[in-house]
Amino acid sequence: MKNEQWGNRTGFILAAVGSAIGLGNIWRFPYVAYENGGGAFLIPYLFALLTAGIPILILEFGLGKKGGGSAPSTFRRLNKNWEWLGWWQVAISFVIITYYSVIISWAMSYTKFSFQLEWGNEPKEFLFVNYLHLTESVWSIGGLQTHILWPLLITWVFVFFTLYSGLRSGIERVTKFAMPLLIVLFLIITFRGLTLDGAIIGINHFFTPDWSKVWNYKTWMAAYGQIFFSLSIAYAIMITYASYLPKKSDVNNNAFITAFGNSGFELLAGITVFSILGFMALQSNVDINDLAAGGVGLAFVVFPTIINTLPALNQLFGVLFFGTLVLAGLTSAISILEVIVAAIRDKFNLQRRTAVIWVTIICASSSITYATGAGLYLLDIIDHFVNSYGVVLAGLVQVIIFGWFYRLKTIREENNSTSDFAIGPWWDIMIKYITPIMLLFITIQNLIGEFKAPYEGYPVSALVTFGAGSAILAVIIGLIFTSLKWRDPNQPEKKRGAS
Ligand code: PHE
């Protein structure tokens, strides 16, 4: 039943890059980098990429290929007591897909709005009042926003059919088409950005280093957070995707290609976004600092404002920009859902299609929570907690387990034996010492900061309920699923070596 494999190497790489390149690259990276010292941010960013990002990616690709199953079954196969780590990561992916799908559907709505520049002259008001119907506080949920449900439905139908069609005719086919298209479309945006008046002002601003930020732990936290989120590591995703690799596949080179592909795109997005901001600053005589809003504001307020003022082809530019966001988001969403599907299939011995139906129904109905008047608040809080604590902690546990309680060297040797090139003992040092020390330090600082000032000034009651609540919920879901019985008589221990 579970012997699906990628059609070829390109298929695997494009799927992995498709998962990595997402909303995180186009809209998260530019403002995170900017807020954390611009050019100076690149130092911690590259450090995190080389010492944690690539080593963990190599680890996950290696584990996936070795285990040949979903994350829970792979971990269990290596050690009976580690299944829960897999389920914890699967549960984190569950929490993330519920809101990630909603952001994609906002981008879908905005692609449509672009045709008529429907946001008018007040994009900010349009977003918060007319589109999101944002309530006064997290605690007032507001009504269900039916106009958001439509694009949300389209998102889910698309993801559903992709996974339902299988690995090769679904995921591989979609990413082989979507990724090249995404890159071509984005290059057009980049070209337009760079040729606008004032582009250089923006780029200068982006790269001008603020060295004082390099000594701030928050910058390091942001760099690690960005690398984990952007590379999709510690979400069980890369383990799952690599489990569909033939046994003789390369690991090391694939990891480098995926990581550099992702970071290259990220840098390109930074340059593009800032060249466009430079144009806006020149046009409206505003300082870039006042333009570069974070998060939702950048994509859904600043960009519409800029699109309004472009000299020509405004609508086309809008469609292109939001269209690429949708594309980038969809290929990531597919990967997140596949993690859950693979795990459920393995544990309950289900056919792909049955698992896809159930998992989609549950995730899609949970995502409706964010299509309410308080959706944006909930999304913001849950995203912060699940990514700062859930993922980073799951990553920390993963490197400690494999660095200290497993024969790490054997994983490296196994990877080397089938890879284009071999990696040396530096890898063991990263997994064993550097990454755990950095992650531990960051998490502790982060926790201290959390108690000092409530995140974004939200009421503490809401932060605890939704934020800490969802991070803890992921652990609980993980434990519950671990305790359930394996339905597949061959899973997971007996299958070792069988495939
Ligand atoms: N890596 C994706 C991005 O940059 C997002 C993602 C996060 C995908 C977590 C899967 C898991 O947007």
Side-chain angles (χ1 to χ4, degrees):
M1 173 192 101
K2 183 116 199 295
N3 43 19
E4 287 182 299
Q5 272 189 0
W6 299 107
N8 58 34
R9 182 171 177 178
T10 319
F12 166 70
I13 292 178
L14 284 179
V17 174
S19 169
I21 295 184
L23 304 173
N25 300 56
I26 300 181
W27 126 70
R28 196 173 186 273
F29 175 78
Y31 78 82
V32 170
Y34 179 72
E35 279 173 1
N36 290 285
F41 177 75
L42 295 179
I43 296 172
Y45 175 81
L46 285 176
F47 185 87
L49 173 68
L50 297 173
T51 63
I54 294 176
I56 294 180
L57 197 56
I58 292 176
L59 175 70
E60 296 198 353
F61 278 176
L63 289 176
K65 186 176 73 100
K66 185 181 169 73
S70 62
S73 83
T74 291
F75 285 133
R76 188 185 166 103
R77 224 166 272 165
L78 300 176
N79 185 322
K80 247 185 128 66
N81 300 320
W82 295 349
E83 184 186 335
W84 60 272
L85 176 59
W87 283 112
W88 183 18
Q89 296 185 346
V90 171
I92 291 174
S93 291
F94 164 72
V95 175
I96 289 182
I97 190 63
T98 57
Y99 67 79
Y100 202 83
S101 54
V102 178
I103 309 179
I104 298 175
S105 47
W106 295 346
M108 244 178 226
S109 298
Y110 268 72
T111 313
K112 179 179 155 270
F113 297 157
S114 298
F115 284 99
Q116 309 273 337
L117 305 181
E118 272 175 61
W119 45 72
N121 293 326
E122 296 288 341
K124 193 168 182 179
E125 196 182 308
F126 180 83
L127 173 70
F128 296 116
V129 182
N130 303 11
Y131 183 64
L132 294 176
H133 291 269
L134 196 63
T135 54
E136 314 260 278
S137 99
V138 212
W139 287 114
S140 90
I141 281 292
L144 202 58
Q145 304 305 316
T146 34
H147 57 286
I148 302 181
L149 286 183
W150 289 110
L152 189 60
L153 184 70
I154 301 177
T155 304
W156 280 111
V157 167
F158 180 86
V159 173
F160 172 81
F161 277 110
T162 305
L163 296 195
Y164 191 79
S165 312
L167 186 72
R168 277 192 206 182
S169 26
I171 303 178
E172 191 167 345
R173 198 190 287 171
V174 166
T175 44
K176 267 190 166 166
F177 172 75
M179 291 317 286
L181 179 66
L182 169 68
I183 290 168
V184 171
L185 292 182
F186 201 80
L187 283 175
I188 299 177
I189 299 179
T190 306
F191 180 76
R192 177 72 275 225
L194 292 179
T195 50
L196 284 168
D197 281 344
I200 195 70
I201 306 177
I203 297 174
N204 262 335
H205 221 87
F206 184 51
F207 283 113
T208 306
D210 173 357
W211 295 110
S212 65
K213 294 269 170 72
V214 176
W215 303 113
N216 189 337
Y217 81 90
K218 285 196 172 152
T219 308
W220 289 81
M221 188 177 90
Y224 274 81
Q226 178 63 24
I227 288 292
F228 273 73
F229 187 79
S230 180
L231 261 185
S232 315
I233 47 180
Y235 296 85
I237 289 177
M238 295 307 188
I239 297 180
T240 310
Y241 268 10
S243 75
Y244 304 125
L245 280 172
K247 290 288 169 224
K248 291 247 167 344
S249 307
D250 166 274
V251 167
N252 301 340
N253 203 8
N254 284 348
F256 276 91
I257 295 173
T258 307
F260 286 138
N262 179 59
S263 288
F265 191 93
E266 210 147 70
L267 276 176
L268 186 74
I271 293 173
T272 307
V273 167
F274 272 84
S275 65
I276 298 169
L277 290 178
F279 159 77
M280 183 69 194
L282 189 70
Q283 289 291 309
S284 55
N285 250 325
V286 190
D287 193 64
I288 289 205
N289 292 330
D290 301 326
L291 279 179
V296 187
L298 182 60
F300 298 101
V301 177
V302 179
F303 263 83
T305 313
I306 296 176
I307 292 167
N308 283 346
T309 45
L310 283 176
L313 301 175
N314 315 47
Q315 287 87 344
L316 180 68
F317 189 85
V319 173
L320 270 181
F321 177 74
F322 289 109
T324 49
L325 263 186
V326 172
L327 259 187
L330 283 176
T331 50
S332 298
I334 290 169
S335 72
I336 313 181
L337 206 72
E338 175 64 14
V339 166
I340 311 172
V341 167
I344 299 285
R345 271 178 83 186
D346 273 1
K347 182 117 190 180
F348 302 106
N349 194 20
L350 297 175
Q351 296 291 338
R352 164 177 285 277
R353 296 188 161 185
T354 320
V356 172
I357 293 173
W358 282 108
V359 171
T360 311
I361 290 177
I362 290 169
C363 294
S365 25
S366 313
S367 71
I368 295 177
T369 326
Y370 303 94
T372 56
L376 178 62
Y377 297 131
L378 293 173
L379 191 155
D380 189 18
I381 295 175
I382 293 175
D383 174 64
H384 170 73
F385 278 85
V386 170
N387 280 306
S388 313
Y389 299 103
V391 174
V392 173
L393 276 181
L396 178 63
V397 172
Q398 182 171 305
V399 284
I400 291 180
I401 281 186
F402 287 98
W404 293 89
F405 301 95
Y406 195 81
R407 301 168 311 277
L408 191 61
K409 202 171 152 215
T410 58
I411 301 183
R412 173 160 58 87
E413 285 167 348
E414 248 173 72
N415 288 348
N416 284 346
S417 72
T418 58
S419 289
D420 294 350
F421 52 79
I423 47 166
W426 63 268
W427 182 75
D428 309 31
I429 297 172
M430 299 303 162
I431 299 281
K432 229 173 144 155
Y433 304 102
I434 312 281
T435 302
I437 291 172
M438 292 300 292
L439 292 183
L440 204 61
F441 171 75
I442 287 168
T443 312
I444 292 171
Q445 292 290 342
N446 208 1
L447 259 179
I448 297 174
E450 211 71 67
F451 283 103
K452 277 197 197 142
Y455 173 67
E456 298 280 323
Y458 285 110
V460 175
S461 56
L463 292 177
V464 172
T465 318
F466 303 114
S470 55
I472 294 169
L473 182 73
V475 177
I476 297 175
I477 298 180
L479 290 175
I480 292 176
F481 275 86
T482 309
S483 68
L484 298 177
K485 245 180 95 176
W486 285 85
R487 292 286 158 74
D488 185 346
N490 294 321
Q491 281 283 350
E493 290 85 358
K494 291 196 189 131
K495 246 198 167 172
R496 192 190 260 176
S499 45

